[in-house]
Amino acid sequence: MVARPASLSGPSPQDTRSAMLFGGVYGSVLACAMVAALTQYGHASRASRRYDALWLVVTALASALAHGYAHIIAERGPDRGWAALRSVLRTLLDEWPLVAAVLPTVFILAGAGWGWWPPNGVEYPAFILNVTLLFTLGLVTARWSGRGWGSALLIGAADATLGLVVVVANAVIK
């Protein structure tokens, strides 16, 4: 591994955008899949929705830790002691977009669990939210990279298709 000069040690705007896109897409698809899996058996009580929200948070944190840990293993450097610990913590904290992407779905599920809206059928607004997030992430990222509106809309639609595949698979499984 080649050491980077100190002036280049921070993340570039492109790296930050890539991490946000990766985490956002990963988290949105994860949220769709978890909602589909957790509602598979038709449990729609307030208590089950609170349980679903908790499991979504636990799964997102576990996924972020696993992904961060994989980066740590893949990028082991010459750091030792406190420098190594700082590197580990920085790598794990870089996974925040994945966790942040599931929080709107957690809010929907927890809100149903707290009685803010009916717990039955709450998975459909969660699916719509995540498909919309995937579309928006694809569109914004394509525009950031300098693509035209037509191309950006197609990329957004392709990203949204990831979420739709989960929704369709959920419908077929049920």
Side-chain angles (χ1 to χ4, degrees), residues 31-91:
C32 275
M34 285 297 297
V35 168
L38 291 168
T39 60
Q40 171 180 327
Y41 300 106
H43 301 289
S45 68
R46 288 176 58 185
S48 70
R49 293 307 181 189
R50 288 189 305 269
Y51 176 83
D52 293 349
L54 178 63
W55 268 110
L56 183 52
V57 169
V58 167
T59 302
L61 289 171
S63 296
L65 285 172
H67 189 257
Y69 184 69
H71 275 290
I72 291 165
I73 296 300
E75 299 171 2
R76 285 193 190 210
D79 292 339
R80 300 267 186 243
W82 289 110
L85 180 59
R86 280 194 308 273
S87 177
V88 166
L89 292 175
R90 186 175 42 252
T91 300

Short mmCIF file of all heavy atoms in Angstrom, two decimals, residues 31-91:
data_model
loop_
_atom_site.label_atom_id
_atom_site.label_comp_id
_atom_site.label_asym_id
_atom_site.label_seq_id
_atom_site.Cartn_x
_atom_site.Cartn_y
_atom_site.Cartn_z
N ALA A 31 -33.43 -1.75 3.54
CA ALA A 31 -34.70 -1.43 4.20
C ALA A 31 -35.86 -2.10 3.48
O ALA A 31 -36.75 -2.66 4.13
CB ALA A 31 -34.90 0.08 4.26
N CYS A 32 -35.87 -2.07 2.15
CA CYS A 32 -36.94 -2.76 1.40
C CYS A 32 -36.94 -4.25 1.71
O CYS A 32 -37.99 -4.84 1.98
CB CYS A 32 -36.74 -2.57 -0.10
SG CYS A 32 -37.40 -1.06 -0.78
N ALA A 33 -35.77 -4.85 1.68
CA ALA A 33 -35.68 -6.29 1.91
C ALA A 33 -36.09 -6.65 3.33
O ALA A 33 -36.80 -7.64 3.55
CB ALA A 33 -34.25 -6.78 1.64
N MET A 34 -35.67 -5.86 4.30
CA MET A 34 -36.02 -6.14 5.69
C MET A 34 -37.51 -5.97 5.93
O MET A 34 -38.12 -6.79 6.62
CB MET A 34 -35.23 -5.24 6.64
CG MET A 34 -33.78 -5.63 6.79
SD MET A 34 -33.57 -7.27 7.53
CE MET A 34 -34.29 -7.01 9.14
N VAL A 35 -38.11 -4.93 5.38
CA VAL A 35 -39.55 -4.74 5.55
C VAL A 35 -40.30 -5.92 4.92
O VAL A 35 -41.24 -6.45 5.50
CB VAL A 35 -40.01 -3.39 4.97
CG1 VAL A 35 -41.53 -3.31 4.89
CG2 VAL A 35 -39.48 -2.25 5.82
N ALA A 36 -39.86 -6.32 3.74
CA ALA A 36 -40.49 -7.47 3.09
C ALA A 36 -40.35 -8.73 3.94
O ALA A 36 -41.32 -9.48 4.13
CB ALA A 36 -39.87 -7.69 1.71
N ALA A 37 -39.17 -8.96 4.48
CA ALA A 37 -38.94 -10.17 5.28
C ALA A 37 -39.71 -10.11 6.60
O ALA A 37 -40.29 -11.11 7.02
CB ALA A 37 -37.45 -10.33 5.56
N LEU A 38 -39.72 -8.95 7.24
CA LEU A 38 -40.36 -8.85 8.54
C LEU A 38 -41.88 -8.87 8.47
O LEU A 38 -42.54 -9.22 9.45
CB LEU A 38 -39.88 -7.59 9.27
CG LEU A 38 -38.42 -7.63 9.72
CD1 LEU A 38 -37.96 -6.24 10.15
CD2 LEU A 38 -38.22 -8.64 10.83
N THR A 39 -42.45 -8.50 7.34
CA THR A 39 -43.91 -8.49 7.21
C THR A 39 -44.41 -9.72 6.45
O THR A 39 -45.59 -9.82 6.16
CB THR A 39 -44.40 -7.22 6.50
OG1 THR A 39 -43.83 -7.16 5.19
CG2 THR A 39 -44.04 -5.98 7.28
N GLN A 40 -43.54 -10.66 6.19
CA GLN A 40 -43.89 -11.84 5.40
C GLN A 40 -45.03 -12.63 6.01
O GLN A 40 -45.86 -13.18 5.31
CB GLN A 40 -42.65 -12.73 5.27
CG GLN A 40 -42.90 -14.08 4.66
CD GLN A 40 -41.63 -14.89 4.57
OE1 GLN A 40 -40.57 -14.33 4.37
NE2 GLN A 40 -41.74 -16.18 4.71
N TYR A 41 -45.10 -12.71 7.32
CA TYR A 41 -46.10 -13.55 7.97
C TYR A 41 -47.35 -12.80 8.37
O TYR A 41 -48.20 -13.34 9.07
CB TYR A 41 -45.48 -14.26 9.18
CG TYR A 41 -44.32 -15.13 8.77
CD1 TYR A 41 -43.01 -14.75 9.03
CD2 TYR A 41 -44.54 -16.30 8.05
CE1 TYR A 41 -41.95 -15.54 8.62
CE2 TYR A 41 -43.48 -17.09 7.65
CZ TYR A 41 -42.20 -16.72 7.93
OH TYR A 41 -41.15 -17.49 7.51
N GLY A 42 -47.48 -11.55 7.95
CA GLY A 42 -48.71 -10.81 8.18
C GLY A 42 -48.90 -10.26 9.57
O GLY A 42 -49.99 -9.86 9.93
N HIS A 43 -47.85 -10.25 10.38
CA HIS A 43 -47.95 -9.67 11.72
C HIS A 43 -48.01 -8.15 11.57
O HIS A 43 -47.09 -7.54 11.07
CB HIS A 43 -46.76 -10.05 12.59
CG HIS A 43 -46.60 -11.53 12.75
ND1 HIS A 43 -47.48 -12.27 13.51
CD2 HIS A 43 -45.71 -12.39 12.24
CE1 HIS A 43 -47.10 -13.55 13.47
NE2 HIS A 43 -46.03 -13.64 12.70
N ALA A 44 -49.11 -7.57 11.99
CA ALA A 44 -49.28 -6.14 11.80
C ALA A 44 -49.77 -5.44 13.05
O ALA A 44 -50.45 -4.44 12.99
CB ALA A 44 -50.25 -5.88 10.64
N SER A 45 -49.38 -5.93 14.21
CA SER A 45 -49.75 -5.25 15.45
C SER A 45 -48.78 -4.11 15.71
O SER A 45 -47.71 -4.03 15.11
CB SER A 45 -49.71 -6.24 16.62
OG SER A 45 -48.38 -6.63 16.89
N ARG A 46 -49.17 -3.24 16.64
CA ARG A 46 -48.28 -2.14 17.00
C ARG A 46 -46.97 -2.68 17.56
O ARG A 46 -45.89 -2.18 17.23
CB ARG A 46 -48.98 -1.22 18.01
CG ARG A 46 -50.08 -0.39 17.36
CD ARG A 46 -50.84 0.45 18.34
NE ARG A 46 -49.95 1.36 19.06
CZ ARG A 46 -50.34 2.13 20.04
NH1 ARG A 46 -51.60 2.12 20.45
NH2 ARG A 46 -49.48 2.92 20.66
N ALA A 47 -47.06 -3.71 18.39
CA ALA A 47 -45.85 -4.29 18.98
C ALA A 47 -44.93 -4.88 17.91
O ALA A 47 -43.71 -4.73 17.98
CB ALA A 47 -46.22 -5.36 20.00
N SER A 48 -45.51 -5.53 16.91
CA SER A 48 -44.67 -6.12 15.87
C SER A 48 -44.00 -5.04 15.02
O SER A 48 -42.88 -5.23 14.56
CB SER A 48 -45.47 -7.09 15.00
OG SER A 48 -46.41 -6.42 14.20
N ARG A 49 -44.65 -3.90 14.83
CA ARG A 49 -44.04 -2.81 14.06
C ARG A 49 -42.89 -2.18 14.84
O ARG A 49 -41.87 -1.80 14.25
CB ARG A 49 -45.07 -1.76 13.67
CG ARG A 49 -46.10 -2.25 12.68
CD ARG A 49 -45.45 -2.87 11.47
NE ARG A 49 -46.48 -3.30 10.53
CZ ARG A 49 -46.26 -4.01 9.47
NH1 ARG A 49 -45.04 -4.40 9.18
NH2 ARG A 49 -47.23 -4.35 8.68
N ARG A 50 -43.01 -2.07 16.16
CA ARG A 50 -41.89 -1.58 16.97
C ARG A 50 -40.73 -2.57 16.89
O ARG A 50 -39.57 -2.18 16.77
CB ARG A 50 -42.32 -1.36 18.43
CG ARG A 50 -43.22 -0.16 18.62
CD ARG A 50 -43.45 0.17 20.09
NE ARG A 50 -43.97 -0.92 20.88
CZ ARG A 50 -45.26 -1.18 21.07
NH1 ARG A 50 -46.18 -0.41 20.52
NH2 ARG A 50 -45.64 -2.20 21.82
N TYR A 51 -41.04 -3.85 16.95
CA TYR A 51 -40.04 -4.91 16.81
C TYR A 51 -39.37 -4.82 15.44
O TYR A 51 -38.14 -4.92 15.33
CB TYR A 51 -40.74 -6.26 17.00
CG TYR A 51 -39.88 -7.47 16.81
CD1 TYR A 51 -39.06 -7.95 17.84
CD2 TYR A 51 -39.88 -8.15 15.60
CE1 TYR A 51 -38.29 -9.08 17.66
CE2 TYR A 51 -39.10 -9.29 15.42
CZ TYR A 51 -38.31 -9.74 16.45
OH TYR A 51 -37.53 -10.85 16.27
N ASP A 52 -40.16 -4.62 14.39
CA ASP A 52 -39.61 -4.50 13.04
C ASP A 52 -38.66 -3.31 12.95
O ASP A 52 -37.58 -3.41 12.33
CB ASP A 52 -40.74 -4.33 12.01
CG ASP A 52 -41.61 -5.56 11.87
OD1 ASP A 52 -41.25 -6.62 12.40
OD2 ASP A 52 -42.68 -5.44 11.23
N ALA A 53 -39.04 -2.18 13.54
CA ALA A 53 -38.19 -0.99 13.52
C ALA A 53 -36.86 -1.27 14.22
O ALA A 53 -35.79 -0.90 13.72
CB ALA A 53 -38.91 0.19 14.17
N LEU A 54 -36.94 -1.94 15.37
CA LEU A 54 -35.72 -2.27 16.10
C LEU A 54 -34.83 -3.20 15.29
O LEU A 54 -33.61 -2.99 15.21
CB LEU A 54 -36.09 -2.92 17.44
CG LEU A 54 -34.91 -3.37 18.30
CD1 LEU A 54 -34.06 -2.18 18.72
CD2 LEU A 54 -35.41 -4.13 19.52
N TRP A 55 -35.41 -4.22 14.67
CA TRP A 55 -34.60 -5.14 13.88
C TRP A 55 -34.00 -4.48 12.65
O TRP A 55 -32.89 -4.83 12.24
CB TRP A 55 -35.41 -6.39 13.47
CG TRP A 55 -35.23 -7.45 14.49
CD1 TRP A 55 -36.15 -7.92 15.37
CD2 TRP A 55 -34.01 -8.14 14.78
NE1 TRP A 55 -35.59 -8.86 16.19
CE2 TRP A 55 -34.27 -9.02 15.85
CE3 TRP A 55 -32.73 -8.11 14.25
CZ2 TRP A 55 -33.30 -9.85 16.39
CZ3 TRP A 55 -31.77 -8.93 14.80
CH2 TRP A 55 -32.05 -9.79 15.83
N LEU A 56 -34.68 -3.51 12.09
CA LEU A 56 -34.11 -2.78 10.96
C LEU A 56 -32.88 -1.99 11.41
O LEU A 56 -31.86 -1.97 10.72
CB LEU A 56 -35.16 -1.87 10.32
CG LEU A 56 -34.72 -1.10 9.08
CD1 LEU A 56 -34.11 -2.01 8.03
CD2 LEU A 56 -35.90 -0.33 8.51
N VAL A 57 -32.96 -1.36 12.57
CA VAL A 57 -31.81 -0.62 13.10
C VAL A 57 -30.65 -1.57 13.38
O VAL A 57 -29.50 -1.31 12.99
CB VAL A 57 -32.19 0.17 14.37
CG1 VAL A 57 -30.95 0.72 15.07
CG2 VAL A 57 -33.14 1.29 14.04
N VAL A 58 -30.94 -2.70 14.04
CA VAL A 58 -29.90 -3.68 14.37
C VAL A 58 -29.25 -4.21 13.08
O VAL A 58 -28.02 -4.31 12.99
CB VAL A 58 -30.48 -4.83 15.22
CG1 VAL A 58 -29.51 -6.00 15.32
CG2 VAL A 58 -30.85 -4.32 16.60
N THR A 59 -30.06 -4.52 12.09
CA THR A 59 -29.53 -5.05 10.83
C THR A 59 -28.68 -4.01 10.11
O THR A 59 -27.61 -4.33 9.56
CB THR A 59 -30.68 -5.52 9.92
OG1 THR A 59 -31.43 -6.51 10.63
CG2 THR A 59 -30.16 -6.10 8.62
N ALA A 60 -29.11 -2.75 10.10
CA ALA A 60 -28.34 -1.70 9.45
C ALA A 60 -27.00 -1.50 10.16
O ALA A 60 -25.96 -1.36 9.50
CB ALA A 60 -29.13 -0.40 9.44
N LEU A 61 -27.01 -1.49 11.49
CA LEU A 61 -25.76 -1.33 12.24
C LEU A 61 -24.83 -2.52 11.99
O LEU A 61 -23.62 -2.34 11.79
CB LEU A 61 -26.05 -1.16 13.73
CG LEU A 61 -26.68 0.17 14.13
CD1 LEU A 61 -27.11 0.13 15.60
CD2 LEU A 61 -25.75 1.33 13.87
N ALA A 62 -25.39 -3.73 12.00
CA ALA A 62 -24.56 -4.92 11.74
C ALA A 62 -23.99 -4.89 10.32
O ALA A 62 -22.82 -5.23 10.11
CB ALA A 62 -25.39 -6.19 11.95
N SER A 63 -24.79 -4.47 9.36
CA SER A 63 -24.30 -4.37 7.97
C SER A 63 -23.21 -3.32 7.85
O SER A 63 -22.20 -3.54 7.17
CB SER A 63 -25.46 -4.02 7.03
OG SER A 63 -26.41 -5.05 7.02
N ALA A 64 -23.40 -2.18 8.51
CA ALA A 64 -22.38 -1.13 8.47
C ALA A 64 -21.08 -1.61 9.12
O ALA A 64 -19.99 -1.36 8.58
CB ALA A 64 -22.90 0.13 9.17
N LEU A 65 -21.20 -2.28 10.26
CA LEU A 65 -20.01 -2.80 10.92
C LEU A 65 -19.31 -3.85 10.05
O LEU A 65 -18.08 -3.85 9.93
CB LEU A 65 -20.36 -3.40 12.28
CG LEU A 65 -20.67 -2.39 13.38
CD1 LEU A 65 -21.20 -3.10 14.61
CD2 LEU A 65 -19.45 -1.55 13.71
N ALA A 66 -20.09 -4.74 9.44
CA ALA A 66 -19.48 -5.77 8.59
C ALA A 66 -18.79 -5.15 7.38
O ALA A 66 -17.68 -5.55 7.03
CB ALA A 66 -20.55 -6.76 8.14
N HIS A 67 -19.43 -4.16 6.78
CA HIS A 67 -18.83 -3.51 5.62
C HIS A 67 -17.58 -2.74 6.02
O HIS A 67 -16.55 -2.79 5.34
CB HIS A 67 -19.85 -2.59 4.93
CG HIS A 67 -19.35 -2.07 3.64
ND1 HIS A 67 -18.88 -0.79 3.51
CD2 HIS A 67 -19.23 -2.65 2.43
CE1 HIS A 67 -18.49 -0.60 2.27
NE2 HIS A 67 -18.69 -1.72 1.59
N GLY A 68 -17.67 -2.02 7.12
CA GLY A 68 -16.50 -1.28 7.61
C GLY A 68 -15.36 -2.20 7.97
O GLY A 68 -14.19 -1.94 7.65
N TYR A 69 -15.68 -3.30 8.62
CA TYR A 69 -14.66 -4.27 9.00
C TYR A 69 -14.01 -4.89 7.76
O TYR A 69 -12.80 -5.09 7.73
CB TYR A 69 -15.26 -5.36 9.89
CG TYR A 69 -14.23 -6.34 10.39
CD1 TYR A 69 -13.27 -5.96 11.32
CD2 TYR A 69 -14.22 -7.66 9.93
CE1 TYR A 69 -12.32 -6.85 11.77
CE2 TYR A 69 -13.27 -8.56 10.39
CZ TYR A 69 -12.33 -8.16 11.31
OH TYR A 69 -11.38 -9.04 11.76
N ALA A 70 -14.80 -5.16 6.74
CA ALA A 70 -14.24 -5.70 5.49
C ALA A 70 -13.24 -4.72 4.88
O ALA A 70 -12.18 -5.12 4.37
CB ALA A 70 -15.36 -6.01 4.50
N HIS A 71 -13.56 -3.42 4.94
CA HIS A 71 -12.61 -2.41 4.46
C HIS A 71 -11.33 -2.41 5.30
O HIS A 71 -10.23 -2.29 4.75
CB HIS A 71 -13.23 -1.01 4.50
CG HIS A 71 -14.03 -0.68 3.30
ND1 HIS A 71 -13.48 -0.47 2.06
CD2 HIS A 71 -15.37 -0.51 3.15
CE1 HIS A 71 -14.43 -0.19 1.20
NE2 HIS A 71 -15.59 -0.22 1.83
N ILE A 72 -11.49 -2.54 6.60
CA ILE A 72 -10.32 -2.55 7.48
C ILE A 72 -9.41 -3.73 7.14
O ILE A 72 -8.20 -3.57 7.01
CB ILE A 72 -10.76 -2.61 8.96
CG1 ILE A 72 -11.42 -1.28 9.34
CG2 ILE A 72 -9.59 -2.93 9.88
CD1 ILE A 72 -12.21 -1.35 10.62
N ILE A 73 -10.00 -4.90 6.96
CA ILE A 73 -9.22 -6.10 6.64
C ILE A 73 -8.54 -5.93 5.27
O ILE A 73 -7.37 -6.26 5.10
CB ILE A 73 -10.12 -7.35 6.63
CG1 ILE A 73 -10.68 -7.60 8.03
CG2 ILE A 73 -9.40 -8.56 6.10
CD1 ILE A 73 -9.64 -7.81 9.09
N ALA A 74 -9.28 -5.39 4.30
CA ALA A 74 -8.74 -5.25 2.95
C ALA A 74 -7.65 -4.20 2.85
O ALA A 74 -6.77 -4.29 2.00
CB ALA A 74 -9.87 -4.92 1.98
N GLU A 75 -7.70 -3.21 3.73
CA GLU A 75 -6.77 -2.08 3.62
C GLU A 75 -5.81 -2.00 4.79
O GLU A 75 -5.37 -0.93 5.18
CB GLU A 75 -7.57 -0.78 3.53
CG GLU A 75 -8.47 -0.73 2.33
CD GLU A 75 -9.43 0.46 2.36
OE1 GLU A 75 -9.36 1.27 3.31
OE2 GLU A 75 -10.23 0.57 1.44
N ARG A 76 -5.46 -3.13 5.36
CA ARG A 76 -4.54 -3.10 6.50
C ARG A 76 -3.26 -2.39 6.08
O ARG A 76 -2.64 -2.73 5.09
CB ARG A 76 -4.20 -4.51 6.97
CG ARG A 76 -5.34 -5.10 7.72
CD ARG A 76 -4.93 -6.33 8.44
NE ARG A 76 -6.16 -6.93 8.94
CZ ARG A 76 -6.22 -7.66 10.02
NH1 ARG A 76 -5.15 -7.90 10.71
NH2 ARG A 76 -7.36 -8.15 10.40
N GLY A 77 -2.91 -1.44 6.88
CA GLY A 77 -1.72 -0.66 6.59
C GLY A 77 -0.67 -0.83 7.67
O GLY A 77 -0.80 -1.66 8.56
N PRO A 78 0.32 0.01 7.61
CA PRO A 78 1.42 -0.10 8.57
C PRO A 78 1.10 0.53 9.93
O PRO A 78 1.93 0.48 10.82
CB PRO A 78 2.54 0.68 7.88
CG PRO A 78 1.84 1.69 7.04
CD PRO A 78 0.57 1.01 6.58
N ASP A 79 -0.11 1.09 10.09
CA ASP A 79 -0.47 1.74 11.35
C ASP A 79 -0.41 0.76 12.51
O ASP A 79 -0.77 -0.41 12.39
CB ASP A 79 -1.88 2.32 11.27
CG ASP A 79 -1.97 3.49 10.31
OD1 ASP A 79 -0.92 4.09 10.03
OD2 ASP A 79 -3.09 3.79 9.86
N ARG A 80 0.01 1.26 13.66
CA ARG A 80 0.07 0.49 14.89
C ARG A 80 -0.47 1.35 16.03
O ARG A 80 -0.46 2.58 15.96
CB ARG A 80 1.52 0.09 15.23
CG ARG A 80 2.20 -0.73 14.18
CD ARG A 80 2.02 -2.22 14.49
NE ARG A 80 2.80 -3.00 13.56
CZ ARG A 80 2.25 -3.84 12.71
NH1 ARG A 80 0.96 -4.01 12.67
NH2 ARG A 80 3.01 -4.54 11.89
N GLY A 81 -0.95 0.71 17.08
CA GLY A 81 -1.36 1.41 18.29
C GLY A 81 -2.53 2.36 18.04
O GLY A 81 -3.52 1.99 17.42
N TRP A 82 -2.39 3.60 18.56
CA TRP A 82 -3.47 4.59 18.48
C TRP A 82 -3.78 4.97 17.04
O TRP A 82 -4.94 5.22 16.69
CB TRP A 82 -3.12 5.84 19.28
CG TRP A 82 -3.15 5.59 20.75
CD1 TRP A 82 -2.08 5.54 21.59
CD2 TRP A 82 -4.30 5.32 21.55
NE1 TRP A 82 -2.48 5.24 22.87
CE2 TRP A 82 -3.85 5.11 22.87
CE3 TRP A 82 -5.66 5.22 21.29
CZ2 TRP A 82 -4.72 4.82 23.92
CZ3 TRP A 82 -6.52 4.94 22.33
CH2 TRP A 82 -6.05 4.74 23.62
N ALA A 83 -2.78 5.00 16.20
CA ALA A 83 -3.02 5.33 14.79
C ALA A 83 -3.90 4.27 14.14
O ALA A 83 -4.80 4.60 13.35
CB ALA A 83 -1.69 5.46 14.04
N ALA A 84 -3.67 3.03 14.48
CA ALA A 84 -4.50 1.95 13.94
C ALA A 84 -5.93 2.06 14.46
O ALA A 84 -6.89 1.88 13.70
CB ALA A 84 -3.90 0.59 14.29
N LEU A 85 -6.07 2.36 15.75
CA LEU A 85 -7.40 2.51 16.33
C LEU A 85 -8.16 3.67 15.68
O LEU A 85 -9.33 3.55 15.36
CB LEU A 85 -7.31 2.72 17.84
CG LEU A 85 -8.63 2.89 18.58
CD1 LEU A 85 -9.52 1.66 18.38
CD2 LEU A 85 -8.40 3.17 20.04
N ARG A 86 -7.47 4.80 15.48
CA ARG A 86 -8.11 5.94 14.79
C ARG A 86 -8.54 5.56 13.39
O ARG A 86 -9.61 5.93 12.93
CB ARG A 86 -7.16 7.14 14.75
CG ARG A 86 -7.12 7.92 16.04
CD ARG A 86 -6.45 9.27 15.85
NE ARG A 86 -5.14 9.21 15.22
CZ ARG A 86 -3.99 9.02 15.87
NH1 ARG A 86 -3.99 8.87 17.18
NH2 ARG A 86 -2.85 8.98 15.22
N SER A 87 -7.71 4.81 12.70
CA SER A 87 -8.03 4.37 11.35
C SER A 87 -9.26 3.47 11.35
O SER A 87 -10.15 3.59 10.50
CB SER A 87 -6.83 3.63 10.74
OG SER A 87 -7.15 3.13 9.47
N VAL A 88 -9.33 2.55 12.32
CA VAL A 88 -10.49 1.65 12.45
C VAL A 88 -11.75 2.45 12.71
O VAL A 88 -12.79 2.26 12.06
CB VAL A 88 -10.25 0.60 13.55
CG1 VAL A 88 -11.54 -0.11 13.93
CG2 VAL A 88 -9.20 -0.40 13.11
N LEU A 89 -11.70 3.36 13.67
CA LEU A 89 -12.88 4.16 14.02
C LEU A 89 -13.33 5.04 12.84
O LEU A 89 -14.52 5.16 12.56
CB LEU A 89 -12.60 5.03 15.25
CG LEU A 89 -12.43 4.25 16.55
CD1 LEU A 89 -12.03 5.19 17.68
CD2 LEU A 89 -13.69 3.47 16.89
N ARG A 90 -12.38 5.63 12.13
CA ARG A 90 -12.70 6.46 10.96
C ARG A 90 -13.39 5.61 9.88
O ARG A 90 -14.38 6.02 9.29
CB ARG A 90 -11.45 7.14 10.42
CG ARG A 90 -11.73 8.12 9.31
CD ARG A 90 -10.49 8.91 8.84
NE ARG A 90 -9.28 8.11 8.73
CZ ARG A 90 -8.24 8.18 9.56
NH1 ARG A 90 -8.28 9.00 10.59
NH2 ARG A 90 -7.18 7.44 9.38
N THR A 91 -12.88 4.41 9.66
CA THR A 91 -13.47 3.53 8.65
C THR A 91 -14.89 3.14 9.04
O THR A 91 -15.79 3.15 8.20
CB THR A 91 -12.60 2.26 8.47
OG1 THR A 91 -11.30 2.67 8.04
CG2 THR A 91 -13.21 1.32 7.44
#
